[in-house]
Every structure is written in C-alpha cells, then in structure tokens.
Amino acid sequence: MDLLQKRIIFVGGKGGVGKSTTASALAYLLSTKGNRVLLVSTDPAHNIGDVFHVQAKKEIVRIHDTLDLLEIDSHNESKRYINSVKENLKGLVKATMIDEVNRQIDLASASPGADEAALFDRITSLILTERHRYDKIVFDTAPTGHTLRLLTLPELMNVWINGLLERRKKVQDNYTQLLNDGEPIEDPIYEKLQERKKKFTAVRDVLLDSAITGYAFVLNAERLPILETKKAVHTLSHHQIHVSTVIVNKIIPAHADGAFMQRRRECEQPYLEEIHTSFTKQQVITLPLFEHDISTLTHLQAFSTILEEAFSMYVNK
Ligand SMILES: Nc1ncnc2c1ncn2[C@@H]1O[C@H](COP(=O)(O)OP(=O)(O)O)[C@@H](O)[C@H]1O
Ligand SMILES: [Mg+2]
C-alpha cells in the first residue's frame, strides 16, 4: 500500500538530506487532502517551526485548520518525565525513603539514554492517544541511528520490563508467604510496570502493523547517505519493519545548465543507479534540487506539489 495511505508515517534519514522539509511537505500535502494531520518533530535541531513561521514549543500548535505541529525537545521531555516518575512514586514509597529514591532517580536521569527514553515515552503517548484525534501523524525523526534505537526500544524495553516483573514477582511471592499466609497482596509498583508494559506492547503492535504505519527514508545521491540508508533499511527489516519508500532529494534538475552542472549531473548518475539497484523492494521517489532553500510556506507548497506529482507518477508506472 502507498505511503500516503498510512495513518502514521515515519520520515528518517541522515541530517541535512531534507528530512524535515520532506516530512513537512508530506504533512502539508496530506492536510490539504481533507486529513487532520499532526506533524511531530523529534529532531533536536528543530527547524520545522521556522518554515511555518510559528514558535512550536512543548505543546501542539495549530498551523492551519487541518495541520498541527509539535516539536518535542527530548531534554525537556526528560525533565517532565522524571518529575512524573517522582510524583508517581510519592504515594508508593515510605516517607523516610523518598529522598533516597529521588536521589536515585536523579542519578538515573543523568545516565546516557535517559532523554531518549523520555522521548520515546512521549511518542508512545502520542501514538496511543493522539492517533484517534488525527487522521495522520507524520514523524520527522532525528538522524538515522537515533531513529533505529527509537524503533527498536519497545522490544528492548519489553525484555527489560519482563525481567523486572519476574524479579518483583519472586520478591512478592516471598512476601506473601511471610506476611499474608500465602494470599496474594497488592503490589502497586507491579501494577504500574504491568501498565507500562501494556503501553509499550500496544505501541509496538502499531509500529509493526504495516497497514497503519509507513516508513520512508530521505537521502541524496551521495555515497554516505546511500550507505546509511542501506544499513537502516536492513536493520529495520530485522525488526520486521519494512521501509516502503526511499525519497531521493536534491537531484540536479534537467533544466540546470552549464558545464559545472553537467559535471555534477554525471557524478550523480552512478549514485542514482546504485539507489535503484539497491532499493528494489522500495518505491523510489525523486525530488529536484531547488534554486533556493525551502524556507517559506510558499516554497513548501511548491515542494509538496512536486512531491505529490512524484508519488502519483510512481503509482501510475
Ligand atoms: N530539494 C531541495 N532543494 C533545495 N534546498 C533544499 C531541498 N530540500 C531541502 N533543502 C534545504 O536543505 C536544508 C536541509 O534540509 P532539512 O529538511 O532541514 O534537512 P534535515 O531535516 O534532513 O536535516 C534546508 O536549508 C532546506 O531548506
Ligand atoms: Mg531536520
């Protein structure tokens, strides 16, 4: 099924290839076709707000009737997440222990991966709740490595939480033997972990459901983006995720004249061929290099028209 038909679309790729531009254009295009669209940027180097001339900070902002934007700052998200964890534990932990528990949480929050975990938590909530308020959610994700970890995190977390649940269950079994004549006692932390596990599993099901979620990678006709995209497509396929679409951006257009441009075009050619032979299981969409940056809404509209044409050409092939 076509990428544009999916309800959740992830746009990945190396920094600078035109990922945010493409994700914005896709979101814009879909929003002009009668869909309510939420565009979410998880890239720490946000620039989507600039294109739409809005300040997108923390909360969802309206771009127009059918298009909303949310830029998630993973560091802020991390702080917010840590506070909610502390809040949650307050009622569950003995008052004398609370300072020590908070100290441990602060330590954990400074560890590598904490921001990412918080970011993932936010994306999880978006997918599970906002999905029902919008027809489409388009994710502009950070550079490739980050995206991959993001997508494989539910699996890792599942393993981690299972281990934790098992250990807690053992402890709880011992307790119930000692305290309650073998009758099960309620364990709120156990319940909370179960809840989280359910959430992660639900999101994983959505991410793996190819009828709902689509994955596109943006790249340029250059060596490194091709290498990275190949690797990413391969890794994702190991996690049962099929990348349906590869978008080759910034191709030198036919009307670009002069010896210099001709030379550049010759350099590009073998890379384009490589892209076509490497990504036989993907739809390969090509987009031209513009004379200017895509930095205004008018530019973006022009860009999304070309994007639409490129998609429809593919469908008609
Ligand atoms: N087809 C294009 N032609 C000209 N400039 C482009 C094109 N696509 C993207 N750009 C510009 O390239 C720069 C990087 O694009 P961006 O979408 O921010 O990349 P990424 O999100 O992958 O880092 C931006 O200045 C953008 O306006
Ligand atoms: Mg970007």
Side-chain angles (χ1 to χ4, degrees):
M1 197 168 64
D2 192 38
L3 183 77
L4 301 178
Q5 312 292 322
K6 312 282 167 150
R7 297 205 51 181
I8 297 174
I9 300 171
F10 280 90
V11 182
K14 212 171 143 54
V17 294
K19 190 165 47 330
S20 300
T21 306
T22 310
S24 308
L26 261 177
Y28 180 81
L29 176 65
L30 291 165
S31 78
T32 60
K33 304 277 172 207
N35 300 290
R36 283 165 304 156
V37 183
L38 175 64
L39 171 60
V40 183
S41 165
T42 63
D43 195 334
H46 292 304
N47 55 359
I48 287 194
D50 296 346
V51 175
F52 291 109
H53 299 288
V54 293
Q55 275 252 327
K57 289 275 167 287
K58 290 186 200 164
E59 299 310 325
I60 294 176
V61 290
R62 176 132 301 182
I63 306 276
H64 65 71
D65 279 1
T66 51
L67 180 59
D68 286 354
L69 168 65
L70 174 65
E71 294 194 335
I72 305 178
D73 178 326
S74 59
H75 192 63
N76 273 342
E77 225 35 67
S78 182
K79 275 194 265 170
R80 171 152 136 172
Y81 176 64
I82 292 303
N83 287 337
S84 79
V85 171
K86 283 180 180 170
E87 220 26 63
N88 262 333
L89 285 176
K90 239 187 210 162
L92 306 177
V93 177
K94 271 196 233 143
T96 48
M97 290 290 290
I98 200 77
D99 284 345
E100 178 54 20
V101 166
N102 282 347
R103 202 181 67 85
Q104 292 289 338
I105 294 173
D106 286 335
L107 275 179
S109 71
S111 65
D115 284 3
E116 217 171 40
L119 178 67
F120 191 77
D121 216 63
R122 185 73 193 271
I123 292 178
T124 298
S125 312
L126 281 176
I127 290 178
L128 294 183
T129 57
E130 298 298 329
R131 184 156 69 93
H132 305 292
R133 295 210 302 129
Y134 293 93
D135 300 312
K136 311 267 184 188
I137 304 184
V138 179
F139 284 97
D140 166 23
T141 51
T144 313
H146 190 106
T147 311
L148 285 178
R149 279 202 302 284
L150 204 70
L151 294 173
T152 54
L153 205 58
E155 234 169 322
L156 293 178
M157 289 223 157
N158 217 4
V159 173
W160 177 79
I161 289 178
N162 271 333
L164 214 63
L165 284 179
E166 226 142 78
R167 257 173 288 150
R168 280 198 63 78
K169 198 152 181 350
K170 270 192 203 136
V171 174
Q172 211 202 356
D173 282 347
N174 290 342
Y175 269 153
T176 46
Q177 294 298 325
L178 277 171
L179 299 178
N180 223 24
D181 289 339
E183 283 299 303
I185 49 168
E186 273 180 28
D187 178 348
I189 294 183
Y190 181 87
E191 304 278 309
K192 278 258 175 313
L193 286 173
Q194 281 283 22
E195 251 170 56
R196 281 177 73 70
K197 193 186 144 185
K198 262 194 212 140
K199 245 173 96 169
F200 286 128
T201 310
V203 136
R204 191 172 158 234
D205 289 347
V206 173
L207 295 183
L208 290 178
D209 187 341
S210 61
I212 302 176
T213 310
Y215 297 86
F217 270 85
V218 182
L219 77 169
N220 303 140
E222 288 167 14
R223 200 176 73 88
L224 282 179
I226 294 177
L227 269 179
E228 271 208 28
T229 309
K230 274 191 197 170
K231 231 170 86 184
V233 168
H234 184 75
T235 311
L236 285 174
S237 76
H238 270 283
H239 294 273
Q240 279 70 53
I241 287 173
H242 173 64
V243 175
S244 66
T245 310
V246 162
I247 300 170
V248 197
N249 186 27
K250 302 192 188 182
I251 293 183
I252 297 171
H255 62 75
D257 49 13
F260 178 84
M261 279 302 174
Q262 185 50 33
R263 183 73 200 102
R264 287 295 310 162
R265 205 177 281 118
E266 282 163 18
C267 292
E268 211 179 57
Q269 206 47 44
Y271 288 128
L272 279 175
E273 280 163 24
E274 186 183 346
I275 289 170
H276 281 283
T277 49
S278 305
F279 300 107
T280 49
K281 292 189 185 131
Q282 280 72 33
Q283 27 167 210
V284 177
I285 303 281
T286 53
L287 296 172
L289 175 71
F290 279 58
E291 290 174 339
H292 46 69
D293 278 356
I294 316 298
S295 53
T296 66
L297 189 58
T298 316
H299 293 158
L300 192 72
Q301 283 165 338
F303 191 86
S304 72
T305 305
I306 289 187
L307 186 72
E308 184 180 17
E309 279 166 13
F311 268 103
S312 61
M313 258 166 60
Y314 197 93
V315 172
N316 294 335
K317 244 185 206 173

Short mmCIF file of all heavy atoms in Angstrom, two decimals, residues 19-20 43 45 47 140, ligand 2:
data_model
loop_
_atom_site.label_atom_id
_atom_site.label_comp_id
_atom_site.label_asym_id
_atom_site.label_seq_id
_atom_site.Cartn_x
_atom_site.Cartn_y
_atom_site.Cartn_z
N LYS A 19 15.14 15.88 5.35
CA LYS A 19 14.15 15.08 6.09
C LYS A 19 13.01 15.96 6.62
O LYS A 19 11.84 15.66 6.38
CB LYS A 19 14.92 14.42 7.24
CG LYS A 19 14.23 13.39 7.99
CD LYS A 19 15.21 12.59 8.83
CE LYS A 19 16.23 13.25 9.65
NZ LYS A 19 16.98 14.23 9.80
N SER A 20 13.37 17.03 7.32
CA SER A 20 12.34 17.90 7.89
C SER A 20 11.50 18.54 6.78
O SER A 20 10.29 18.66 6.90
CB SER A 20 12.97 19.01 8.73
OG SER A 20 13.71 18.44 9.78
N ASP A 43 13.50 15.78 16.11
CA ASP A 43 14.88 16.14 15.79
C ASP A 43 15.34 17.23 16.75
O ASP A 43 14.68 18.26 16.88
CB ASP A 43 14.93 16.65 14.35
CG ASP A 43 16.34 16.70 13.80
OD1 ASP A 43 17.27 16.83 14.61
OD2 ASP A 43 16.49 16.61 12.57
N ALA A 45 17.60 19.30 16.32
CA ALA A 45 17.86 20.52 15.54
C ALA A 45 16.56 20.94 14.84
O ALA A 45 16.40 20.77 13.64
CB ALA A 45 18.96 20.26 14.51
N ASN A 47 13.70 22.82 12.99
CA ASN A 47 13.58 23.96 12.08
C ASN A 47 12.23 23.99 11.40
O ASN A 47 11.97 24.82 10.55
CB ASN A 47 14.70 23.97 11.05
CG ASN A 47 14.76 22.67 10.29
OD1 ASN A 47 13.98 21.75 10.53
ND2 ASN A 47 15.66 22.59 9.34
N ASP A 140 8.84 13.51 11.93
CA ASP A 140 10.15 13.89 11.39
C ASP A 140 11.15 13.45 12.44
O ASP A 140 11.26 14.05 13.50
CB ASP A 140 10.18 15.40 11.19
CG ASP A 140 11.58 15.94 10.95
OD1 ASP A 140 12.45 15.18 10.50
OD2 ASP A 140 11.78 17.14 11.21
MG MG B 2 15.64 18.18 10.36
#
